[in-house]
Amino acid sequence: EDQVTQSPEALRLQEGESSSLNCSYTVSGLRGLFWYRQDPGKGPEFLFTLYSAGEEKEKERLKATLTKKESFLHITAPKPEDSATYLCAVQAYSGAGSYQLTFGKGTKLSVIP
Amino acid sequence: DSGVTQTPKHLITATGQRVTLRCSPRSGDLSVYWYQQSLDQGLQFLIQYYNGEERAKGNILERFSAQQFPDLHSELNLSSLELGDSALYFCASSAPLDDRSGNTIYFGEGSWLTVV
């Protein structure tokens, strides 16, 4: 069974204080690892897809990296508007031509001005 | 805006009742997914349809059913509702698998269901 564990569950940062969120996973046949951002009461917003170990992707203050067992979401000099829950998900083949996402429970990030 | 449209945004209903949630996928997307999100469980996959056919089932209760219509919109039917069914229900869609962007699943804003 595919498993995704995110840590920490919650993180409070001062504005400008860089940090990293962790996503560790066990999956048979990883097709991709996804990062989403979710604001309260809203739908998950797609951020990145990573496909192979060593791959990195960046968007503004966010950079996602991938190893064979985990992914990190690095946040550089965060701003209050970066406050959200960040979700990690692994995509794997589930049969009948279907690929499914298994989500972690997320890291709730709060950036204090 | 992801391009995935869900209605209604909020609904309150009584135990034992039945509700239907509606989803319009992004233009051109053939796959529709339904997810349930509750406070303690995180995002749980319910069911997937691809071009009108059921493709995969997750943790969907027998009281719940879904379908995808020829115009590709989808409905999730929840019946004999219980208090524990209160949650956010998300629809998501993705492009055809032979499309390079077919990996990415885009989510709607969700339907808040409260069962009282």
Side-chain angles (χ1 to χ4, degrees):
Chain A
E1 183 181 325
D2 301 340
Q3 288 192 331
V4 180
T5 304
Q6 292 188 245
S7 62
E9 289 184 12
L11 181 63
R12 282 172 63 96
L13 298 174
Q14 290 294 127
E15 184 173 1
E17 179 187 3
S18 302
S19 188
S20 296
L21 313 182
N22 178 262
C23 170
S24 61
Y25 62 90
T26 55
V27 62
S28 298
L30 178 73
R31 190 178 191 224
L33 185 139
F34 293 75
W35 282 97
Y36 287 85
R37 168 193 170 127
Q38 187 175 26
D39 293 303
K42 302 287 188 182
E45 175 191 346
F46 171 72
L47 292 174
F48 304 108
T49 310
L50 302 168
Y51 292 102
S52 56
E55 188 175 0
E56 298 183 353
K57 287 194 176 172
E58 288 189 64
K59 179 180 180 179
E60 297 181 356
R61 294 176 293 282
L62 301 177
K63 183 169 82 172
T65 62
L66 180 65
T67 72
K68 287 187 177 180
K69 293 185 178 181
E70 57 191 348
S71 177
F72 293 93
L73 184 66
H74 307 278
I75 303 177
T76 302
K79 297 182 178 181
E81 54 261 43
D82 295 322
S83 298
T85 295
Y86 291 85
L87 299 170
C88 170
V90 295
Q91 187 183 51
Y93 186 65
S94 60
S98 174
Y99 294 86
Q100 295 308 319
L101 284 181
T102 301
F103 281 86
K105 294 196 172 182
T107 293
K108 184 175 181 180
L109 174 66
S110 301
V111 182
I112 313 303
Chain B
D1 183 2
S2 67
V4 180
T5 304
Q6 290 187 247
T7 57
K9 291 193 187 317
H10 302 270
L11 69 164
I12 302 173
T13 191
T15 55
Q17 295 299 303
R18 172 190 170 95
V19 298
T20 297
L21 310 181
R22 194 178 190 279
C23 169
S24 294
R26 295 187 323 151
S27 177
D29 285 359
L30 299 182
S31 281
V32 169
Y33 309 78
W34 288 98
Y35 285 81
Q36 180 192 56
Q37 188 175 40
S38 53
L39 281 174
D40 56 344
Q41 291 293 325
L43 268 167
Q44 299 289 315
F45 168 67
L46 297 179
I47 197 164
Q48 178 200 0
Y49 280 81
Y50 183 84
N51 203 18
E53 294 187 1
E54 182 182 305
R55 184 60 67 93
K57 260 186 177 180
N59 302 318
I60 188 166
L61 300 173
E62 286 191 9
R63 300 183 284 109
F64 297 179
S65 65
Q67 53 185 328
Q68 186 179 26
F69 296 87
D71 66 353
L72 301 177
H73 91 271
S74 177
E75 293 181 354
L76 178 67
N77 301 296
L78 314 174
S79 61
S80 302
L81 285 167
E82 302 174 359
L83 295 178
D85 297 327
S86 296
L88 250 177
Y89 291 85
F90 288 107
C91 174
S93 73
S94 64
L97 288 175
D98 58 356
D99 185 319
R100 275 194 173 183
S101 64
N103 272 5
T104 303
I105 297 177
Y106 294 91
F107 284 78
E109 290 299 296
S111 293
W112 275 100
L113 172 65
T114 302
V115 182
V116 297

